[in-house]
């Protein structure tokens, strides 16, 4: 086993040194290596020199490797861990193919060299492959260049090449690289002596530039199944026409008389969730969240359940959805379509107008939605400009638009208080731009626009988040070792420090000490700077240090402190509200029903009177809270009684509210309403833990209920969590890739010039920009800009000077950092004189772009002109936009 301390890392070395984050003298392993190299040179010892300059350090065993890496990370926090692959221990269950294009070896290695980071030497595998190519080892071979740059290139042996169709072999040597065929390959072997794996072609996916072929490449690369469901899965579905079994109806709460409706995107067909709200006497509200009861149809340990678990999630592409469940379920029997009786899992709260919870009930129900509302409709209701005649939306069950409008405004009022309280308690929101495409009749993109999150989206989001938090508390209380939760680890301090340094280099000051502090900084920036591009860039930079949220089984993490969700600032969180499209939600539904059965066995109050209490005849709409402003969160959090996780005294000991307070161990003073009492925070869980006589029967009942509901053991639950993380990541990669694919197709058909914001510069070969119009980043390689460009990078001042014109096409070594011509000893006097004449003639035409220079201030730059247009007073090349397409 070997480790390497020599890894390129795009950080400002000088800034880290100024912050005292770099070691000095003998503590720095790089300085030690340099000193050993000098001693070896002085002693004329080639072996010692090679050892000192080698990027690899032999450590012997895994334990020693971890210890060595730990020492390196502690002494050099500016560097990242790298390694060399020596063998494949276990094939990936998610990724069974590498998708790419086939080229000849010379072209493949040239592409790898061009894509290397600026000014850095080739990686050891690339250098070894280049040496092998020069020695003739790859004679008769072809190379696979993966679409994913993180994956290694692959070698097709002469025997494999001989089996390829002639068209693919000819294409590999074609000069025109704009049209290639996507292929799916499998790694057959990776010999220890080979820097690259051996691959064979499994499938041809179609030509690049084609939507169907590009989609197939995305799906294959991420291992997403796009085939129809097996026959044994269809055999598990109920027969149609379907009707509710009377025995099942008898066990459920009947909410068919309640006015319930869903709020979704206009094109949505898989309706997971619906909302209801009713006024109660005394100024309170009966608020309901109703989730499709998928678990009623997907029984454990059936082919249908197995297939849903394998797929893990529905996958959303621009042009279609690949469902987790057969369409009979996800679009019909489970989907909460208006005017149809549906099974649901409901959570009902007695709430104050400010979102404070007084009582809570949860259980399986029957509902009949009165309407399918869309986000734009509800947004118009909130803004007071809604006209039902403009929408072809039918109401059912005798509901009127006056009633639906009243309910929507009431929900909005309470949701605004929940949102304000959530941000007051330290929640973080990083909204990255996503595109929405308009397609023609042939399915081709004709235009793109950012998808805008509105107050209507926030309305639904707040109640879904609240339901997820409450359910997490319940199942963690009932099954502290078997619960399936979702956590979000905090970002590393080093990456946050890098973000802070990058932001300050761009003229923006941020506080990254906590999620709440970061949110306050971003909120203050949005108020101080009206330019949307500035806000989007800072949000993008803030997103990069963040880790992915993950599902986990609580048995994997004995310390509850590690269960916390960083972005939501909550101790307990799970996914409950989207069982049609997420398999973990199905598991959580089963866990919740088992937890409710446990509460019943322990004879805890279920607050059944809440769902039968009469409605008030008249009610005033709750006033909306002001927009969530985390800058004032510290002063309002303690006084705000609308906490998303309220106090234990607000309901009986057996309710979800009490268990939530117990599970999260909340501070009573910061988390309670005006009428709460710290003495009342002792809950059944705390009492049971303190009393062995109570704890033992409770634990035995929990184990029995887990078996009764056929819930997996802790080992299997951990595997489900891991697989769900992988499938969710795959779905995200495919969805993002689909957006990029359609953007590329659209720009290929109609190229467009777009202004961009420079986000990072780290060498003389490329820089990175953010395009506000498309909400994406692009790496701009100087040799691929379509015009002759040459870059000169000054690491001390962190400045990239880009020269344009005829001279930029000459040898880069012929220019100094200031663009002056430098004598080349290989040229004649006449050539030098001609070069000087050309330089004088084109001096006026040459443009220099100084990016990230000491005088360059992003905030001032963007505020000067709208839309991020380059300001000539700051950068002398306002005529050089970033072209995409």
């Amino acid at each position: 086993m070997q480790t390497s301390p020599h890894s390129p890392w795009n950080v400002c070395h000088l800034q880290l040194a100024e912050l005292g984050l770099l070691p000095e003298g003998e503590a720095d392993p790089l300085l030690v290596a340099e000193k050993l190299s000098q001693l070896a040179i002085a002693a004329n010892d080639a072996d010692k020199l090679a050892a000192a300059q080698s990027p690899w350090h032999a450590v012997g065993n895994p334990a020693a490797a971890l210890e060595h890496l730990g020492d390196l990370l502690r002494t050099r926090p500016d560097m990242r861990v790298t390694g060399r692959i020596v063998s494949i221990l276990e094939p990936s269950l998610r990724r069974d193919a590498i998708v790419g294009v086939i080229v000849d070896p010379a072209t493949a290695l040239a592409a790898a060299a061009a894509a290397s980071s600026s000014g850095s030497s080739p990686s050891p595998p690339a250098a070894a492959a280049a040496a092998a190519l020069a020695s003739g080892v790859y004679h008769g071979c072809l190379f696979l260049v993966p679409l994913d740059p993180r994956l290694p290139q692959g070698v097709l042996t002469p025997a494999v090449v001989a089996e390829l169709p002639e068209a693919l072999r000819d294409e590999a040597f074609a000069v025109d690289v704009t049209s290639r065929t996507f292929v799916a390959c499998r790694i057959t072997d990776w010999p220890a002596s080979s820097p690259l794996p051996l691959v064979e072609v499994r499938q041809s996916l179609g030509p690049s530039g084609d939507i169907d072929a590009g989609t197939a490449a995305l799906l294959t690369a991420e291992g997403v199944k796009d085939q129809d469901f097996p026959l044994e899965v269809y055999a598990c579905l109920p027969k149609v026409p379907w009707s509710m079994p009377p025995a099942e109806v008898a066990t459920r709460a009947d909410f068919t008389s309640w006015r319930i409706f869903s709020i979704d995107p206009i094109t949505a067909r898989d309706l997971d969730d619906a909302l209801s709200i009713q006024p109660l006497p005394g100024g309170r509200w009966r608020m309901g969240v109703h989730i499709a009861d998928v678990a009623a149809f997907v029984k454990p340990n059936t082919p249908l359940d197995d297939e849903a678990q394998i797929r893990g999630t529905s996958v959303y592409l621009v042009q279609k959805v690949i469902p987790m469940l057969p369409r009979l379920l996800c679009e019909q029997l489970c989907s909460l379509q208006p005017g149809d009786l549906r099974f649901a899992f409901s959570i009902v709260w007695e709430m104050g107008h400010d979102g404070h919870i007084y009582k809570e009930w949860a259980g399986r129900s029957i509902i009949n939605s009165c309407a399918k509302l869309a986000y734009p409709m509800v947004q118009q209701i909130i803004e007071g400009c809604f006209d039902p005649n403009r929408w072809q939306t039918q109401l059912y069950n005798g509901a009127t638009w006056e009633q639906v409008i009243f309910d929507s405004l009431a929900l909005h009022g309470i949701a605004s208080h929940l949102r304000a309280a959530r941000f007051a308690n330290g929640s973080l929101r990083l909204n990255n731009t996503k595109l929405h495409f308009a397609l023609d009749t042939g399915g081709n993109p004709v235009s793109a626009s950012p998808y805008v999150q509105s107050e209507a989206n926030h309305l639904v989001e707040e109640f879904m988040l609240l339901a997820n938090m409450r359910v997490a508390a319940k199942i963690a209380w009932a099954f502290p070792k078997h619960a399936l939760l979702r956590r979000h680890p905090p970002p590393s301090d080093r990456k946050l420090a890098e973000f802070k340094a990058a932001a300050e280099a761009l003229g923006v000051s941020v506080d990254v000490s906590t999620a709440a502090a970061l949110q306050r900084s971003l909120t203050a920036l949005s108020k101080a700077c009206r330019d949307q591009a500035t806000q989007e860039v800072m949000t993008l930079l803030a997103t990069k240090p963040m880790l992915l949220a993950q599902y986990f089984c609580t048995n994997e993490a004995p310390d509850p402190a590690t269960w916390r969700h960083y972005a939501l600032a909550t101790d307990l969180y799970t996914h409950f509200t989207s069982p049609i499209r997420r398999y973990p939600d199905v598991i959580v539904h089963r866990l919740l029903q088992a937890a409710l059965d446990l509460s019943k066995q322990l004879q805890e109050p279920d607050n059944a009177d809440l769902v039968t209490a009469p409605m008030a005849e008249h009610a005033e709409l709750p006033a909306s809270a002001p927009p969530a402003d985390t800058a004032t969160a510290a002063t309002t959090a303690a006084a705000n009684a609308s906490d998303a996780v309220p106090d234990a005294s607000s309901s009986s000991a057996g309710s979800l509210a009490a268990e939530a307070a117990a599970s999260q161990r909340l501070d009573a003073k910061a988390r309670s309403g005006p009428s709460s009492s710290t003495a009342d925070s002792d809950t059944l869980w705390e009492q049971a833990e303190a009393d062995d006589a109570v704890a033992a029967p409770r634990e035995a009942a929990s184990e029995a209920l887990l078996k009764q509901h056929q819930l997996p053991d802790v080992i299997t639950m951990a595997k489900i969590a891991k697989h769900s993380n992988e499938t969710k990541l795959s779905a995200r990669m495919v969805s993002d890739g689909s957006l990029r694919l359609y953007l590329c197709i659209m720009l290929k058909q109609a190229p467009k010039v777009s202004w961009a914001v420079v986000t990072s510069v780290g060498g003389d070969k490329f820089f990175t920009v953010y395009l506000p119009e498309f909400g994406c980043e692009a790496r701009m390689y100087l040799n691929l800009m379509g015009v002759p460009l040459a870059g000169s990078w000054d690491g001390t001042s962190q400045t990239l000077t880009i020269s344009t014109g005829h001279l930029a096409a000459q040898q880069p070594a012929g220019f100094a950092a200031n663009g002056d011509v430098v004598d080349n000893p290989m040229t004649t006097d006449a050539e030098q004189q001609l070069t000087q004449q050309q330089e004088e003639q084109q001096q006026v035409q040459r443009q220099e772009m100084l990016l990230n220079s000491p005088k360059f201030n992003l905030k001032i730059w963007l505020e000067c002109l709208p839309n991020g247009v380059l300001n000539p007073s700051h950068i002398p090349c306002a005529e050089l936009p970033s072209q995409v397409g």
Side-chain angles (χ1 to χ4, degrees):
M1 181 173 292
Q2 296 177 317
T3 60
S4 170
H6 300 282
S7 313
W9 189 233
N10 187 22
V11 295
C12 181
H13 188 93
L14 293 178
Q15 288 178 335
L16 290 171
E18 292 174 357
L19 294 173
L21 297 178
L22 295 183
E24 298 180 358
E26 299 297 329
D28 190 333
L30 297 187
L31 293 181
V32 171
E34 182 179 355
K35 182 177 180 180
L36 292 176
S37 298
Q38 294 173 351
L39 293 175
I41 293 174
N44 198 24
D45 190 328
D47 292 338
K48 288 185 177 180
L49 178 60
Q53 293 181 343
S54 171
W56 303 106
H57 179 79
V59 291
N61 58 69
L66 290 175
E67 182 179 357
H68 181 69
L69 289 175
D71 292 340
L72 288 175
L73 291 174
R74 281 187 291 272
T75 57
R76 291 302 301 249
D78 59 321
M79 308 192 76
R80 85 165 80 180
V81 178
T82 66
R84 181 174 66 185
I85 297 174
V86 295
S87 65
I88 298 176
L89 300 179
E90 181 182 356
S92 171
L93 297 177
R94 177 176 68 90
R95 190 197 300 273
D96 60 355
I98 298 179
V99 176
V101 296
I102 299 175
V103 299
D104 66 281
T107 301
L109 294 178
S116 63
S117 58
S118 67
S120 65
S121 58
S123 64
L133 175 64
S135 66
V137 171
Y138 295 131
H139 178 70
C141 297
L142 293 178
F143 273 35
L144 171 76
V145 178
L147 299 183
D148 188 341
R150 299 170 299 177
L151 298 178
Q153 294 183 352
V155 179
L156 288 77
T157 64
V160 174
V161 172
E163 298 294 328
L164 291 178
E166 183 178 357
L168 276 180
R169 292 200 302 268
D170 293 342
E171 181 184 288
F173 293 94
V175 177
D176 182 12
V177 298
T178 59
S179 179
R180 294 283 183 175
T181 301
F182 293 134
V183 295
C185 293
R186 180 179 70 90
I187 294 179
T188 57
D189 191 18
W190 198 333
S193 59
S194 174
L196 300 174
L198 306 181
V199 301
E200 65 179 11
V201 177
R202 298 176 54 184
Q203 183 183 8
S204 176
L205 302 174
S208 61
D210 178 76
I211 289 180
D212 292 338
T215 300
L218 289 170
L219 298 176
T220 303
E222 295 299 331
V224 174
K225 297 180 65 173
D226 193 20
Q227 298 82 19
D228 195 7
F229 292 88
L231 292 178
E232 56 268 24
V233 171
Y234 283 113
C236 298
L237 301 180
K239 295 180 180 180
V240 289
W242 173 80
S243 61
M244 293 183 172
E248 179 70 20
V249 171
T251 64
R252 293 174 174 263
D254 185 357
F255 296 156
T256 56
S257 63
W258 289 16
R259 193 166 53 247
I260 300 172
F261 51 83
S262 59
I263 307 174
D264 289 281
I266 294 177
T267 58
R269 291 183 291 181
D270 50 350
L271 311 183
D272 293 275
D273 56 86
L275 299 171
S276 66
I277 189 166
Q278 301 167 337
L280 295 174
R284 296 180 182 177
W285 300 85
R286 179 162 53 209
M287 166 67 215
V289 171
H290 312 275
I291 307 300
D293 191 357
V294 174
F297 296 91
V298 182
K299 301 299 183 182
N301 305 320
T302 61
L304 175 58
D305 185 53
D306 294 342
E307 182 70 15
Q309 181 181 333
I310 291 172
R311 297 194 176 211
T313 180
S314 296
V315 182
Y316 292 82
L317 298 97
V318 172
Q319 77 278 34
K320 65 178 181 179
V321 177
I322 301 175
M324 181 185 76
L325 298 171
R327 297 191 184 277
L328 176 63
L329 294 182
C330 66
E331 295 181 3
Q332 298 182 44
L333 301 186
C334 291
S335 184
L336 305 181
Q337 299 292 343
D340 295 326
L341 295 176
R342 289 292 181 258
F343 287 153
F345 216 135
S346 300
I347 300 180
V348 182
W349 298 294
E350 180 181 333
M351 276 188 172
H353 70 277
D354 55 2
H356 184 82
I357 297 176
Y358 296 91
K359 280 188 178 181
E360 191 166 30
W361 176 93
R364 284 183 158 138
S365 62
I366 301 173
I367 68 170
N368 191 345
S369 173
C370 73
K372 175 191 173 185
L373 304 185
Y375 287 123
M377 298 171 61
V378 178
Q379 185 61 33
Q380 290 180 6
I381 291 175
I382 294 172
E383 295 173 356
C385 59
F386 175 71
D387 181 358
N389 296 321
R390 297 179 181 178
W391 298 88
Q392 297 180 350
T393 300
Q394 183 178 353
L395 299 183
Y396 296 83
N397 311 329
T400 66
W401 278 115
E402 182 181 6
Q403 294 171 329
V404 171
I405 291 173
F406 180 88
D407 291 352
S408 299
L409 292 175
L411 289 169
H412 169 62
I414 294 177
S416 65
H417 285 278
L418 291 174
R419 186 174 180 83
R422 184 163 61 84
F423 282 103
N425 290 327
S427 191
L428 172 66
R429 175 89 180 189
L430 299 175
N431 286 323
N432 290 317
T433 302
K434 278 203 170 186
L435 293 180
H436 170 76
F437 289 92
L439 308 180
D440 61 19
T441 55
N444 297 304
V446 293
S447 65
S449 59
Y451 179 79
V452 180
Q453 289 271 334
S454 65
E455 291 178 279
N457 296 85
H458 298 161
L459 184 161
V460 176
E461 179 187 31
E462 291 309 316
F463 290 115
M464 298 303 111
L465 290 175
L466 181 56
N468 287 336
M469 294 177 190
R470 309 299 293 180
V471 172
K474 179 66 176 182
I475 62 176
W477 167 82
F479 311 111
K481 293 183 179 180
H482 284 77
L484 181 63
L485 302 181
R486 188 164 176 81
R487 61 183 170 187
H488 183 207
S492 69
D493 294 338
R494 175 179 58 81
K495 289 187 176 183
L496 282 178
E498 291 171 8
F499 161 62
K500 180 178 176 66
E504 291 177 349
L506 297 175
V508 179
S509 178
V510 293
D511 182 355
V512 297
S513 57
T514 64
L518 176 57
Q519 184 68 57
R520 285 195 296 271
S521 296
L522 296 176
T523 301
L525 174 64
S526 66
K527 291 183 175 182
C529 178
R530 297 180 180 180
D531 192 279
Q532 186 66 27
T534 306
Q535 301 174 35
E536 291 182 15
V537 168
M538 295 313 303
T539 299
L540 174 69
L541 295 177
T543 302
K544 293 188 175 185
M546 300 298 161
L547 302 177
L548 294 176
Q550 292 187 328
Y551 299 107
F552 71 102
C553 175
T554 49
N555 187 67
E556 298 178 272
D559 183 5
T562 63
W563 301 357
R564 186 169 177 80
H565 198 291
Y566 172 82
L568 294 177
T570 183
D571 292 337
L572 294 169
Y573 191 70
T574 193
H575 275 165
F576 164 77
T577 55
S578 297
I580 290 179
R581 60 183 178 89
R582 290 189 306 229
Y583 184 75
D585 299 54
V586 179
I587 293 290
V588 170
H589 276 229
R590 296 170 183 165
L591 283 167
L592 178 57
Q593 185 57 55
L596 294 174
D597 291 347
L598 176 62
S599 295
K600 185 176 181 180
Q601 287 189 14
L602 297 177
Q603 298 182 348
E604 299 177 7
D606 60 2
N607 291 328
D609 59 315
L610 172 59
V611 299
T612 59
M615 293 173 52
E617 294 184 3
H618 303 284
E620 296 291 333
L621 283 173
S624 299
D629 179 6
T630 54
T632 60
T635 60
T636 60
N640 197 327
S642 59
D643 190 10
V645 187
D647 60 283
S649 65
S650 61
S651 71
S652 60
S655 70
L656 281 159
E659 289 148 7
S663 300
Q664 299 195 71
R665 300 170 304 283
L666 302 176
D667 176 30
K669 181 177 180 180
R671 295 278 190 168
S672 62
S675 62
S676 66
S677 169
T678 305
D680 292 334
S681 64
D682 290 335
T683 66
L684 185 60
W685 185 359
E686 294 169 326
Q687 295 169 8
E689 292 292 343
D691 188 353
D692 292 340
V694 177
R698 175 180 169 277
E699 183 175 349
S702 297
E703 292 295 331
L705 285 168
L706 289 170
K707 293 180 180 179
Q708 176 184 331
H709 289 270
Q710 303 181 58
L711 285 158
D713 58 41
V714 293
I715 296 177
T716 306
M717 188 74 82
K719 292 180 179 179
I720 291 174
K722 179 181 179 181
H723 180 68
S724 298
N725 290 328
E726 293 175 347
T727 55
K728 187 172 181 62
L729 178 59
S730 294
R732 175 181 173 183
M733 297 293 288
V734 169
S735 297
D736 291 346
S738 180
L739 292 171
R740 289 193 298 270
L741 171 64
Y742 273 75
L743 178 60
C744 291
I745 296 293
M746 185 185 74
L747 293 175
K748 182 180 180 181
Q749 295 171 347
K752 188 174 185 179
V753 174
S754 175
W755 293 104
V757 178
V758 177
T759 57
S760 67
V761 187
D764 60 1
K765 292 186 178 181
F766 67 87
F767 57 94
T768 305
V769 299
Y770 175 77
L771 296 104
E773 184 176 358
F774 303 114
C776 65
E777 270 192 312
R779 178 166 287 186
M780 312 304 297
Y781 290 92
L782 300 188
N783 63 333
L784 300 177
M785 295 284 281
V787 293
L789 294 175
S792 177
W793 170 246
D794 186 342
T796 302
S797 64
Q798 297 287 289
T799 301
L800 171 63
T801 303
I802 299 177
S803 300
T804 67
H806 173 72
L807 292 177
Q810 301 181 12
Q811 291 291 337
F815 291 92
N818 61 2
D820 294 336
V821 178
V822 180
D823 288 343
N824 189 331
M826 300 300 294
T827 61
T828 64
D829 292 342
E831 290 173 334
Q832 291 184 17
Q833 184 178 4
L834 177 61
T835 301
Q836 292 175 358
Q837 292 175 353
Q838 292 173 337
E839 164 67 11
E840 293 174 357
Q841 293 172 358
Q842 299 186 11
Q843 183 68 34
V844 178
Q845 301 176 3
R846 184 188 308 162
Q847 301 170 345
E848 294 182 358
M849 180 162 56
L850 302 180
L851 306 177
N852 207 19
S853 65
K855 296 182 179 181
F856 178 74
N857 186 299
L858 174 66
K859 183 177 178 181
I860 297 176
W861 173 42
L862 291 175
E863 287 177 344
C864 288
L865 293 175
N867 302 321
V869 177
L870 298 176
N871 186 346
S873 68
H874 289 81
I875 300 179
C877 69
E879 302 303 321
L880 184 63
S882 169
Q883 184 168 355
V884 179

